Amino acid sequence: MVRTGELPDQAEQTAIRESSARRADEGVPLEAVVGAYRIGAEKRAAHVFPAAEPGDLSDLLLVQRHMLTCLRLVSCEVAAGYVQERQTALSDEQVALQSLLSRLPEGGSPRPRPTAPASDCRPAT
């Protein structure tokens, strides 16, 4: 991005979103996921800026603008992927909890009923 000025394309944005969803599934805090991209940008800046000469100010400003735009885009993708995964996980947990709670008033076991293995199912004779 620093060399070309091009932002991540749709495939790269999808990869970022999916990676963020995996981090959410692994329990990595959102601030750590977003922070990793910020650290990457800081390292790029630390590499590019010291090599600049006084006449490079306009180029440096352009690079910084591109980096901030990229960070904004990446942060949005990271947050969207992370939140989507967490919402899915919470929804699954809520369904399981509702199932548990629905069995309790009937005096049933809070554990789901075991299902018979397919090999034990024989047609009636």
Side-chain angles (χ1 to χ4, degrees):
M1 188 278 314
V2 170
R3 288 187 189 114
T4 65
E6 293 181 23
L7 293 172
D9 63 21
Q10 194 59 45
E12 292 168 318
Q13 291 176 40
T14 299
I16 291 166
R17 187 180 285 240
E18 290 171 352
S19 175
S20 178
R22 284 191 302 276
R23 300 299 84 78
D25 189 48
E26 295 167 357
V28 177
L30 178 57
E31 59 270 17
V33 180
V34 173
Y37 287 97
R38 291 180 182 255
I39 289 170
E42 289 171 8
K43 288 188 178 224
R44 300 266 189 284
H47 179 74
V48 171
F49 293 166
E53 307 257 335
D56 295 333
L57 180 59
S58 63
D59 290 333
L60 285 178
L61 292 173
L62 182 62
V63 166
Q64 185 171 6
R65 186 171 60 210
H66 286 313
M67 287 176 63
L68 289 172
T69 301
C70 186
L71 270 177
R72 178 185 44 82
L73 177 70
V74 166
S75 295
C76 290
E77 292 298 327
V78 166
Y82 195 98
V83 167
Q84 183 177 9
E85 178 60 31
R86 290 303 306 143
Q87 286 176 334
T88 299
L90 289 173
S91 178
D92 292 346
E93 290 172 15
Q94 184 178 14
V95 168
L97 183 59
Q98 285 175 338
S99 176
L100 167 72
L101 292 175
S102 70
R103 287 191 298 271
L104 291 177
E106 301 164 357
S109 170
R111 294 192 176 98
R113 293 182 189 140
T115 57
S119 61
D120 289 351
C121 297
R122 296 184 194 107
T125 56

